[in-house]
Amino acid sequence: AAASPRTDIRDCSVDPPYLPPTATNTTGRLAALRVTLRTHGVHAYIVPSTDAHMSEYISERDARLGWLTGFSGSAGTGVVTQDRAALWTDSRYWTQAERQLDCNWELQRTTAIESIVLWILEAVPKGGDVGVDPFLFSIDTWNSLSRALNGSGRTLRPLDTNPLDQAWGDQRPPPPSGQIDALPPEFTGSSWQEKVAGVRRRMEEHVRRPTAVLLAGLEETAWLFNLRGDDVPYTPVFYAYTLLTDTAISLFVDMSRLSAAARGSLQGGCPGPLCVELQEYGQARAHLRRYAQGNVTVWLGTAYTTYGLYGTVPQEKLLEDSYSPVMLAKAVKNTKEQELLRAAHVRDAVAVIQYLLWLEKTVPQGSVDEFSGAQHIDALRRAQEHSRGPSFQSISASG
C-alpha cells in the first residue's frame, strides 16, 4: 500500500487545503496589512526578521515576521503584495515552515536577494513602489536591493511609519521594561571612563579626525558603559544608541529603566567631557540629524547600523568601517577580562561534567530526550554562581 502522506505539514494542493494544527491562520493579519499598504500607496512590502540594531536575537515586540506568517524560525524574509505573499528561508527551516505556514504563503527555499528581487519583478507592475522600513535593513542589504531594482521601473521606498506595526496594533507586545543595571566593578576589565578615553584617542589618531562615533549595535553600548539589561534573549543588552563626540556623550535609552546605580555611574562626571547626557531612545535620529548639520565627521560600523540611521548623515560627513572602533576595542580582552572569562569557563565546565555524569546514569533508563536534556543542563548552569543564562538555546544531545 502507498505510504500515507505526512500529516504534520501543510498540503495546499488539495481542496480544501490540509493544514496541520501547528499552522497559523494568517488571513486576518494579511488583510490588515494590505489595508495599510494601500494607505501608504505601495505595491509590495518587505518584512525582514531583524530589529533596528541588526541583533542576532530579537524581542517579541520585534518579531514582526513571526506575527505575520506564524513562522518562528530565526531567519527569513517575507514579501507581501495585494494578492500574493511569500517567505524566503534557508534549509534549516523548510520543514518547520511547512508546519507553521498556512496556504496564504508561498515558501521560497532560498535566501538569495536575487530570488526575492525576481519574485518582486514578477509580482509588482512597472511603476510600482516596494515599501520598506529603513530602520530594519542593514546598509548592505538596502544597497543590494536598491541596485537589483535599479532600472526595472520599480522603486524601493523607505516608509516613515511601519505599516506592519500599524496592522499589528494593540496586539503588539509592549517594549521591554526590565531594569538596566550597572555591572559591578569586579566584573569589568576597565571603567567606562577609561573605555571612552581609549575611543577618543583612536578618533584623534585617525587620519580623517572623526568628531563622533555612532554606536548602533546593542552590545557596543552595553560594553562601553558597563551596563546590562535583558531586552533580547540570550544576550544581556538593552535598546540604546550612543553618540560619542570628542567633547560630549549622548546615550539614547528609556531613562526610566536605569537603576539608581546605573544613573549614578553615568552622571558622576557631570558637567564635563565624561558626563553622559541621557536622552530618550526615540530621539536618536533627530539628534543625529541636528549634529550632522555642523562641520563634523561621524565614524560608524556598517555591520550594525541600519540604512535609516546611516541615511541621516550626509555621505561626505561619514567615516565608514565594517565595525566601529568600540566593536574592535571590545574584541580585545585585557588581562582582567581574560581572568574573568577563564573563571566563567571553569564554572561552566562544572555544570557540563555534572550533565555528562547525569546522562551516563539516566540515558540507559530510556526516559531522556534532547529537550529534557536541554532543560537539565540549563538548570545545572543556573545553579552556578553569577549565571545570567545561556548564550543560545541549549543543543544538548543527538539521536
Side-chain angles (χ1 to χ4, degrees):
S4 61
R6 287 177 56 176
T7 56
D8 64 333
I9 62 171
R10 64 182 186 161
D11 184 354
C12 301
S13 67
V14 294
D15 188 23
Y18 170 74
L19 295 177
T22 46
T24 299
N25 178 352
T26 64
T27 302
R29 298 171 190 189
L30 280 167
L33 175 60
R34 284 168 173 147
V35 169
T36 63
L37 295 186
R38 284 197 291 274
T39 311
H40 285 276
V42 293
H43 288 77
Y45 186 66
I46 308 179
V47 185
S49 57
T50 185
D51 66 7
H53 303 270
M54 303 288 109
S55 306
E56 180 181 6
Y57 297 107
I58 57 172
S59 72
E60 289 181 6
R61 183 176 174 80
D62 283 317
R64 297 174 174 92
L65 187 67
W67 173 77
L68 183 66
T69 63
F71 169 71
S72 61
S74 68
T77 304
V79 183
V80 176
T81 67
Q82 285 302 331
D83 54 0
R84 290 175 70 183
L87 171 78
W88 285 257
T89 190
D90 64 77
S91 56
R92 293 175 297 170
Y93 292 123
W94 292 344
T95 303
Q96 181 178 335
E98 294 285 11
R99 288 175 181 159
Q100 294 183 320
L101 297 176
D102 64 9
C103 291
N104 288 313
W105 291 89
E106 307 163 25
L107 175 62
Q108 308 286 333
R109 296 168 190 261
T110 171
T111 55
I113 281 193
E114 298 79 44
S115 160
I116 297 175
V117 170
L118 284 172
W119 189 93
I120 287 172
L121 294 181
E122 186 187 302
V124 175
K126 275 202 167 155
D129 280 355
V130 180
V132 278
D133 180 339
F135 286 89
L136 295 177
F137 285 82
S138 71
I139 299 161
D140 287 349
T141 306
W142 175 281
N143 288 338
S144 304
L145 282 167
S146 185
R147 271 197 304 272
L149 286 172
N150 191 24
S152 71
R154 286 91 173 160
T155 313
L156 199 58
R157 190 163 113 212
L159 301 176
D160 272 343
T161 318
N162 185 311
L164 190 148
D165 294 351
Q166 291 175 296
W168 201 347
D170 300 344
Q171 300 301 306
R172 189 178 176 209
S177 56
Q179 186 164 276
I180 300 166
D181 292 312
L183 206 55
E186 61 266 29
F187 291 113
T188 63
S190 40
S191 71
W192 70 258
Q193 290 89 344
E194 290 167 327
K195 293 177 181 178
V196 164
V199 177
R200 283 179 170 153
R201 274 197 304 279
R202 297 275 309 275
M203 290 160 67
E204 280 166 27
E205 291 160 5
H206 198 286
V207 58
R208 281 196 53 197
R209 287 296 175 91
T211 58
V213 174
L214 174 68
L215 305 181
L218 299 183
E219 56 273 58
E220 300 181 284
T221 288
W223 177 84
L224 183 65
F225 296 116
N226 293 326
L227 297 175
R228 296 293 183 268
D230 58 0
D231 290 8
V232 302
Y234 308 120
T235 314
V237 294
F238 50 92
Y239 289 115
Y241 294 102
T242 300
L243 188 69
L244 168 62
T245 78
D246 37 17
T247 55
I249 310 164
S250 300
L251 171 59
F252 302 89
V253 66
D254 179 352
M255 296 186 263
S256 66
R257 298 173 50 203
L258 289 165
S259 69
R263 196 179 271 261
S265 126
L266 296 172
Q267 303 206 294
C270 294
L274 285 174
C275 163
V276 180
E277 184 195 340
L278 297 173
Q279 299 202 42
E280 282 302 329
Y281 173 75
Q283 293 300 309
R285 181 190 191 178
H287 181 95
L288 182 64
R289 180 175 284 126
R290 278 195 304 276
Y291 179 77
Q293 286 167 357
N295 180 21
V296 298
T297 303
V298 179
W299 195 359
L300 56 77
T302 55
Y304 292 89
T305 308
T306 61
Y307 184 81
L309 210 52
Y310 166 85
T312 307
V313 182
Q315 195 69 46
E316 68 276 7
K317 295 182 181 182
L318 279 172
L319 167 57
E320 295 175 47
D321 276 323
S322 293
Y323 298 103
S324 78
V326 169
M327 203 56 106
L328 295 178
K330 171 180 166 295
V332 181
K333 306 299 181 192
N334 64 25
T335 314
K336 184 170 178 200
E337 287 169 321
Q338 292 177 33
E339 284 169 15
L340 289 164
L341 277 169
R342 290 192 184 98
H345 275 280
V346 170
R347 293 193 299 273
D348 193 62
V350 172
V352 172
I353 291 164
Q354 291 172 327
Y355 177 60
L356 293 173
L357 184 67
W358 177 81
L359 277 181
E360 280 180 22
K361 285 183 176 164
T362 49
V363 166
Q365 296 163 17
S367 59
V368 183
D369 58 26
E370 185 178 350
F371 184 65
S372 63
Q375 287 179 306
H376 189 69
I377 193 166
D378 285 351
L380 292 171
R381 284 183 161 135
R382 262 198 309 276
Q384 288 296 323
E385 200 182 4
H386 309 311
S387 166
R388 288 293 298 266
S391 62
F392 55 89
Q393 200 168 5
S394 293
I395 300 168
S396 67
S398 168

